[in-house]
């Protein structure tokens, strides 16, 4: 995964009023923390950040005006409940070669065995540990030909090289449910009077 470069400015003022002013100026307030450093409060261009965060677990290179560059991943993203715009972001500092634990989307491919079976998704994401500069965007699992009663657990997932599970391997991720038999007609329905 390549890193996305974004410009950031150090925030001098804090509180609701300054955060609202930043948002009016098309900036998103954020905090950068990790590796025993003091938190850095910054503002990032809202539109560029919105585009960058479309990629889950994106690796960002923040060029902080007058304070150098930090390699970060988004740890918590707060959105406005109605507008769905990003109102605040917590960034975690990472170093090249460092392992981080992140949630990665599970994507299915293929078709179930014929017979009207249904796929039940028990987990949409799975926690994995991966190198900060090589975080997978998704984990793909094949459901081709699976029949009723089949269950796929976390340990059945094929993870990219250098990525390990950060959860118990016995956790059920997907299961196939058999087609339900037709219910008998209600008593007296369809009989002539």
């Amino acid at each position: 995964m390549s890193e996305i470069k974004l410009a950031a400015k150090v925030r001098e003022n804090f509180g609701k009023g300054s955060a609202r002013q930043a948002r009016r100026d098309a900036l998103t307030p954020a905090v950068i923390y990790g590796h025993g450093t003091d938190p850095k409060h910054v503002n990032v261009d809202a539109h560029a950040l919105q585009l960058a965060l479309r990629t889950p677990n994106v690796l960002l290179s923040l060029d902080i005006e007058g304070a150098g560059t930090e390699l970060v991943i988004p740890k918590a993203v707060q959105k406005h409940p109605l507008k769905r715009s990003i109102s605040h972001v917590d960034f975690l500092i990472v170093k090249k070669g460092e392992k981080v634990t992140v949630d990665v989307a599970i994507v299915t491919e293929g078709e179930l065995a014929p017979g009207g079976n249904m796929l039940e998704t028990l987990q949409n994401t799975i926690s994995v540990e991966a190198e900060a500069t090589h975080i997978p965007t998704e984990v793909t699992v094949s459901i081709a030909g699976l029949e009723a009663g089949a269950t796929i657990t976390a340990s059945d997932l094929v993870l990219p090289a250098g990525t390990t599970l950060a959860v118990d391997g016995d956790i059920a991720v997907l299961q196939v449910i058999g087609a339900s038999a037709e219910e008998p007609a209600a008593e007296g329905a369809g009989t002539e009077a």
Side-chain angles (χ1 to χ4, degrees), residues 23 28 76-80 84-90:
R23 291 185 199 105
T28 300
V77 178
Q78 297 173 8
K79 292 187 175 186
H80 189 280
R84 304 305 299 157
S85 58
I86 298 172
S87 57
H88 189 272
V89 180
D90 288 353

Side-chain angles (χ1 to χ4, degrees), residues 31-165:
V31 64
I32 303 168
Y33 64 92
H35 288 280
T37 62
D38 290 333
K40 294 178 187 169
H41 300 274
V42 297
N43 285 326
V44 183
D45 178 79
H47 182 68
L49 182 63
Q50 183 93 27
L51 292 175
L53 293 182
R54 285 185 178 175
T55 304
N57 300 316
V58 65
L59 184 64
L60 299 169
S61 176
L62 289 182
D63 184 14
I64 304 165
E65 187 177 282
T69 303
E70 291 285 2
L71 196 59
V72 299
I73 59 172
K75 200 61 180 167
V77 178
Q78 297 173 8
K79 292 187 175 186
H80 189 280
L82 298 175
K83 298 177 189 174
R84 304 305 299 157
S85 58
I86 298 172
S87 57
H88 189 272
V89 180
D90 288 353
F91 290 116
L92 179 65
I93 298 172
V94 295
K95 305 287 183 199
K96 291 186 189 272
E98 174 187 18
K99 294 256 186 181
V100 293
T101 302
V102 294
D103 289 340
V104 177
I106 298 172
V107 177
T108 59
E109 66 179 8
E111 297 291 324
L112 295 174
N117 298 327
M118 294 178 14
L119 181 68
E120 181 179 16
T121 303
L122 303 172
Q123 303 288 327
N124 291 320
T125 61
I126 193 79
S127 289
V128 297
E129 185 177 58
E131 188 178 323
T133 55
H134 294 89
I135 298 172
T137 56
E138 62 188 30
V139 174
T140 304
V141 59
S142 174
I143 59 168
L146 292 180
E147 297 188 8
T151 301
I152 295 176
T153 62
S155 60
D156 296 330
L157 299 175
V158 178
L159 301 174
T163 304
T164 57
L165 281 176

